Amino acid sequence: MPSSPTVPTTAPAPFARTTEIADGVHAYVQGPGGWCLNNAGIIVSGGESALVDTAATEARARHLRRTALRRNPQAAPRIVVNTHFHGDHVFGNHLFPEAVLVGHERTRTEMIASGLHLTGLWPDVEWGSIELAPPTLTYADALTLHIGSLRAELEHVGPAHTSNDTVVWLPRQRVLFTGDLVMNGVTPFCLMGSIAGSLRALDRLRAYGARTVVPGHGPVCGPEVFDAVEGCLRRVLRVAEDGRRAGRTPLEAARAASLGPYAALLDPERLVPNLHRAYAELDGLPADEPLPGEVMRTALAEMIEHHGGLPCCLA
């Protein structure tokens, strides 16, 4: 990514708040939920525990570890599930050495390929001492885990937010951890995934019949969030279609766009990279084919230009 100004020094957001959303199931929510302030899950049953995702910085991951041990003093988590490869969800993996790290097979390969690149995008963040720890147990389509008496079903859904999205479904509790395939009150981000794939994935998420949804970012919610995310993505597609007809570039289309109710979502600058992905798919790029690296770099640089500087990261 080209060099860009950083945001003014801003105090990091507070550590997460944890809520028990079902018996033994805890949502670890980092507000307000923007860049690198992801959610995690702590699952406890029969003296055993597991995590869904970790956190971006050393300090935040250590807080998650302390919180998990308070929820289950008998033992540290023995399983950590990564919902995808992005650093805010995986950089804390190495602080859970007792755990088997679980993820989709492409989560491992893309995490290794990406390395610690995310830390260079926001140099003012106190990342701490981070070591890359990719999943050691991978799967292709679906995997079932047992934590005590609790059953957790993992499924690869996508491409959507990325090529390697995992959702975690707890059928007895009717709780669904979506990773960043769903964000609540936060703009979707499909540059490394697919707009069309995300829309198909939302239909799959509806089919679970979840009562409680833990999104990748933003507050815990119900299944109504699927309609909100779909509405935002369909607005992106309309902006892309209108922009192509008018001969505008993705950046020009973003500047001319009216996002209506979706303009109030956190991180609205993501419209620019989303439009780059939408334009490519309108040109026939398959949902499971990534954008060329040069297009991704251009999309991120134009996002910064559209925003007027590097987006704010409060991690």
Side-chain angles (χ1 to χ4, degrees):
M1 182 186 298
S3 60
S4 304
T6 59
V7 296
T9 301
T10 305
F15 286 134
R17 299 184 65 177
T18 306
T19 304
E20 188 169 22
I21 53 177
D23 187 22
V25 182
H26 308 266
Y28 182 88
V29 177
Q30 298 192 91
W35 291 104
C36 294
L37 290 174
N38 66 296
N39 298 333
I42 304 170
I43 301 169
V44 180
S45 176
E48 299 179 352
S49 66
L51 297 181
V52 179
D53 284 328
T54 57
T57 70
E58 179 186 3
R60 291 181 179 278
R62 289 192 182 279
H63 180 267
L64 173 59
R65 181 180 176 89
R66 292 193 299 272
T67 303
L69 286 170
R70 284 197 296 270
R71 296 299 181 274
N72 185 47
Q74 299 178 60
R78 66 179 182 89
I79 296 171
V80 172
V81 177
N82 291 144
T83 59
H84 60 291
F85 79 97
H86 287 163
D88 49 339
H89 296 256
V90 305
F91 278 173
N93 284 2
H94 69 104
L95 294 173
F96 297 89
E98 309 88 347
V100 176
L101 306 176
V102 181
H104 186 263
E105 56 193 15
R106 283 199 292 271
T107 298
R108 176 179 171 84
T109 57
E110 295 194 29
M111 185 176 170
I112 291 171
S114 180
L116 301 179
H117 175 72
L118 182 66
T119 62
L121 301 184
W122 283 283
D124 293 335
V125 169
E126 293 292 336
W127 296 100
S129 179
I130 298 171
E131 300 172 16
L132 203 67
T136 52
L137 173 63
T138 62
Y139 77 99
D141 299 310
L143 179 69
T144 299
L145 301 175
H146 297 272
I147 304 103
S149 63
L150 192 148
R151 179 186 178 96
E153 299 175 0
L154 279 56
E155 183 179 358
H156 174 230
V157 179
H161 173 64
T162 67
S163 70
N164 53 94
D165 300 297
T166 290
V167 298
V168 181
W169 169 237
L170 309 180
R172 191 174 68 195
Q173 294 79 11
R174 293 178 61 194
V175 172
L176 182 65
F177 290 88
T178 67
D180 286 359
L181 201 158
V182 171
M183 304 188 201
N184 183 19
V186 182
T187 305
F189 187 55
C190 299
L191 178 66
M192 301 172 191
S194 168
I195 302 287
S198 292
L199 291 171
R200 287 194 293 269
L202 287 167
D203 286 338
R204 173 68 188 112
L205 299 192
R206 289 185 178 100
Y208 280 109
R211 179 171 54 222
T212 305
V213 176
V214 182
H217 295 252
V220 175
C221 50
E224 69 281 351
V225 72
F226 304 144
D227 292 341
V229 175
E230 178 176 350
C232 182
L233 292 174
R234 293 201 181 279
R235 180 65 70 101
V236 170
L237 284 177
R238 288 197 294 274
V239 171
E241 290 164 354
D242 292 345
R244 291 304 301 273
R245 281 195 295 269
R248 299 185 180 113
T249 67
L251 179 58
E252 291 167 342
R255 288 171 171 165
S258 171
L259 291 180
Y262 308 109
L265 297 177
L266 286 178
D267 306 330
E269 64 275 2
R270 293 174 180 174
L271 174 62
V272 177
N274 286 340
L275 285 173
H276 274 273
R277 182 69 209 188
Y279 271 48
E281 292 183 7
L282 289 174
D283 286 340
L285 185 73
D288 60 355
E289 185 172 329
L291 290 170
E294 182 58 35
V295 175
M296 286 197 182
R297 289 189 289 273
T298 297
L300 293 171
E302 289 183 354
M303 177 183 75
I304 293 171
E305 180 183 348
H306 181 61
H307 183 67
L310 195 64
C312 182
C313 176
L314 300 180

